[in-house]
Amino acid sequence: MTDDAGPVFTRRSTVARLALLEAQGDDLSVHEAMMLALQQATAEVGALGGVVHLPCETPDGLYLVASSGLPNKVTDELAYLAIDRDLVPVRAMREGVLCWSEDGSPRIENHGAVAVPVPGTERPLGVLTLFLSDDRKPDASGCSFLTVVAGWSGQWLGQRTVDPAPCRDCDRPRAGRGSRVARSRPTPWRPPTPRDPGGVPPGRRRGWRS
C-alpha cells in the first residue's frame, strides 16, 4: 500500500531496518552512511551484494564509494563508470528512475541487477545498485524499500558537503571518514508508516551492457 507520505510497510524486519537508518547520528562518514544504507537494502531484498556510486567532479562519470558482499573482480570493474555507458546504475542515474536488468554483470552469471537513484532537488546525488540472487526483478515491496532507502541516502548527502572524485580516471573510493559531497537540497524524506507497500517504481528491462 501507499499513502500521501509514500510507501508504507508492516513486516517487522522492514520497519526495524528503516528505524535503524532514522536513528543514525551525524558522526558517520560518507562511506559509513552509504555502507549502512547499502547493507540494509541488500539484507531486505535478499541480494548477493551491492554498490553505491557518487558523481565525479566532472560530469562524465561515477565513482565507487561503497561496496558490500562482492568480490574484487566485480568491484574493480565498477570503480569508475562513464556516464554514457548503457549500464544499470548509469541509466538509473541518467534517467532518474529505478532500472533493472536480468543480466547483472558479466562477472556474475545468471544474476540480475537493480539500481535506484539517490534523489536530489535538481538531479540525482548518486545511485545504489544491488546484484540479485537470481535473474528476477524484486517484487513491489523490495522496489519500494529500495526507493525509501535511496530517499534516506539523499537526505543524508544533501545535509553535507562532499568532495567528488577529481578526475575521469578515479580508480578507488575517495569518500572515507571526513570526506565531504557537494551540498544539495534533497526532497524531504519521511519515514514510512507501517503497512504493506503497493506499486512498483518505474523501471527499465535492458541488458547490463549495450
Side-chain angles (χ1 to χ4, degrees), residues 15-36:
V15 174
R17 294 186 197 287
L18 295 174
L20 188 152
L21 290 175
E22 182 66 7
Q24 292 307 302
D26 295 331
D27 59 343
L28 299 179
S29 69
V30 174
H31 172 74
E32 290 168 338
M34 296 303 100
M35 277 291 291
L36 177 63

Side-chain angles (χ1 to χ4, degrees), residues 10 20 23 29 32 35 40 52 72 91 96 105 110-111 126 130 141 181-182 197 206:
T10 56
L20 188 152
S29 69
E32 290 168 338
M35 277 291 291
Q40 295 306 318
V52 176
N72 289 341
R91 291 205 315 270
S105 166
N110 303 317
H111 299 289
L130 296 183
S141 176
V181 179
R206 303 182 195 168

Side-chain angles (χ1 to χ4, degrees), residues 9-96:
F9 304 90
T10 56
R11 195 165 69 175
R12 181 177 298 179
S13 63
T14 305
V15 174
R17 294 186 197 287
L18 295 174
L20 188 152
L21 290 175
E22 182 66 7
Q24 292 307 302
D26 295 331
D27 59 343
L28 299 179
S29 69
V30 174
H31 172 74
E32 290 168 338
M34 296 303 100
M35 277 291 291
L36 177 63
L38 181 59
Q39 289 169 345
Q40 295 306 318
T42 300
E44 179 68 20
V45 175
L48 297 174
V51 292
V52 176
H53 286 86
L54 298 180
C56 294
E57 186 175 54
T58 55
D60 60 357
L62 306 171
Y63 74 100
L64 183 68
V65 70
S67 66
S68 178
L70 300 174
N72 289 341
K73 67 179 182 180
V74 175
T75 56
D76 285 350
E77 71 174 13
L78 299 175
Y80 170 81
L81 299 178
I83 200 67
D84 59 353
R85 297 179 68 186
D86 187 26
L87 308 179
V88 174
V90 175
R91 291 205 315 270
M93 183 75 179
R94 205 167 50 217
E95 300 173 16

Side-chain angles (χ1 to χ4, degrees), residues 86-89 91-92 98-106 108 110-116 129-138 203-210:
D86 187 26
L87 308 179
V88 174
R91 291 205 315 270
L98 182 147
C99 292
W100 167 77
S101 171
E102 60 187 5
D103 301 317
S105 166
I108 309 176
N110 303 317
H111 299 289
V114 60
V116 60
T129 306
L130 296 183
F131 293 89
L132 309 172
S133 57
D134 54 35
D135 59 1
R136 293 177 295 178
K137 184 178 182 178
R204 297 285 190 269
R205 178 172 175 162
R206 303 182 195 168
W208 173 263
R209 297 181 183 276
S210 56

